[in-house]
């Protein structure tokens, strides 16, 4: 990306295979509009395709009430309990599930290219995180990631559907020696 001036941004994206072969290239120029309307996340009618992998995410969609606890760990010296409500719906042509809560946004999808479930997390504190993983069975999902690109600290997010209306989950970050840096666990219940 390159700012040409205070109203113009040129950018390009190049996608390559592991062998270096270019599989797509996009070049574009964006011009700031003085009267632009803000983008609003719109709902899709539903999931984009009938693929088994994307369909497996349907059960995530809905309105949820969450209760969680951040346990004592390296980055959290005190235990903190909290409650929140979240809404999850298909968006962007039914390719992604958008989860909105008071202070965070999550995007979840299935990547055909990577043959995995992908989740991105953004919050009001500026935290950005990406997880990748698989269903362990029809009720349990495990996603993993290097924490903020740090290969020595890994984050593992596990979600289990106890029923169609209740999930339990944990997010634990540890280093190679097993030291716990962050430990979050909770329960989410579907709001009727």
């Amino acid at each position: 990306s390159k700012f040409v001036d205070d109203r113009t941004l040129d950018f390009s994206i190049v996608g390559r295979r592991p062998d270096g072969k270019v599989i797509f290239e996009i070049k574009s120029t964006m011009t700031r509009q003085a009267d632009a309307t803000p983008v609003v996340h719109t709902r899709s009618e539903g999931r984009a395709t009938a693929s088994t992998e994307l369909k497996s995410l349907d059960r995530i969609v809905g309105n949820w009430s969450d209760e969680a606890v951040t346990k004592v760990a390296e980055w959290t010296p005190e235990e903190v309990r909290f409650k929140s409500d979240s809404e999850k719906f298909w968006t962007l042509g039914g390719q992604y599930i958008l989860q909105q809560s008071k202070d965070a946004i999550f995007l979840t999808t299935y990547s055909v290219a990577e043959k995995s479930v992908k989740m991105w997390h953004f919050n009001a504190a500026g935290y950005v995180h990406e997880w990748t993983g698989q269903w362990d069975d029809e009720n349990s999902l495990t996603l993993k990631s290097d924490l903020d690109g740090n290969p020595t600290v890994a984050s593992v997010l596990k979600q289990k559907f106890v029923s169609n209306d209740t999930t339990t989950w944990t997010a634990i970050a540890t280093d190679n020696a097993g030291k716990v840096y962050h430990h979050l666990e909770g329960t989410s219940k579907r709001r009727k």
Side-chain angles (χ1 to χ4, degrees), residues 42 50 53 56 79-80 89 101 109 114 122 138 145 161 176-177:
T42 57
E53 295 85 4
S56 71
E79 182 174 290
V80 177
F89 56 86
S101 61
T109 193
E114 295 182 42
F122 310 88
E138 66 181 22
S145 179
F161 282 85
N176 295 337

Side-chain angles (χ1 to χ4, degrees), residues 151-171:
T152 64
V153 180
S155 175
V156 177
L157 173 65
K158 291 183 177 254
Q159 182 174 11
K160 181 173 180 69
F161 282 85
V162 178
S163 70
N164 283 335
D165 296 327
T166 304
T167 69
T168 57
W169 44 271
T170 60

Side-chain angles (χ1 to χ4, degrees), residues 81-190:
R81 294 183 176 274
F82 61 92
K83 295 180 180 182
S84 65
D85 289 334
S86 62
E87 180 182 15
K88 303 172 187 178
F89 56 86
W90 288 105
T91 190
L92 297 173
Q95 294 287 346
Y96 296 84
I97 294 173
L98 174 65
Q99 174 184 344
Q100 300 179 113
S101 61
K102 181 182 175 187
D103 296 320
I105 293 173
F106 292 82
L107 279 174
T108 306
T109 193
Y110 181 81
S111 169
V112 175
E114 295 182 42
K115 297 182 180 176
S116 62
V117 175
K118 303 280 289 183
M119 181 189 290
W120 296 267
H121 168 223
F122 310 88
N123 75 16
Y127 180 73
V128 179
H129 199 67
E130 178 182 350
W131 286 283
T132 302
Q134 303 288 334
W135 289 96
D136 304 316
D137 55 46
E138 66 181 22
N139 292 315
S140 300
L141 177 66
T142 299
L143 303 173
K144 299 177 182 179
S145 179
D146 291 341
L147 196 59
D148 296 330
N150 181 342
T152 64
V153 180
S155 175
V156 177
L157 173 65
K158 291 183 177 254
Q159 182 174 11
K160 181 173 180 69
F161 282 85
V162 178
S163 70
N164 283 335
D165 296 327
T166 304
T167 69
T168 57
W169 44 271
T170 60
I172 302 173
T174 58
D175 64 15
N176 295 337
K179 181 176 183 178
V180 178
Y181 287 81
H182 186 259
H183 183 153
L184 177 66
E185 60 185 57
T187 300
S188 298
K189 295 188 176 181
R190 192 183 302 275

Side-chain angles (χ1 to χ4, degrees), residues 43-63:
R43 295 171 191 275
S44 298
E45 291 297 319
R47 176 177 21 85
T49 67
S51 75
T52 303
E53 295 85 4
L54 208 54
K55 186 177 181 181
S56 71
L57 299 174
D58 272 342
R59 65 195 316 184
I60 295 171
V61 173
N63 295 316

Side-chain angles (χ1 to χ4, degrees), residues 27-42:
K27 292 184 180 182
S28 182
T29 298
M30 298 188 321
T31 305
R32 188 183 311 270
Q33 303 296 313
D35 59 349
T37 303
V39 173
V40 176
H41 297 291
T42 57

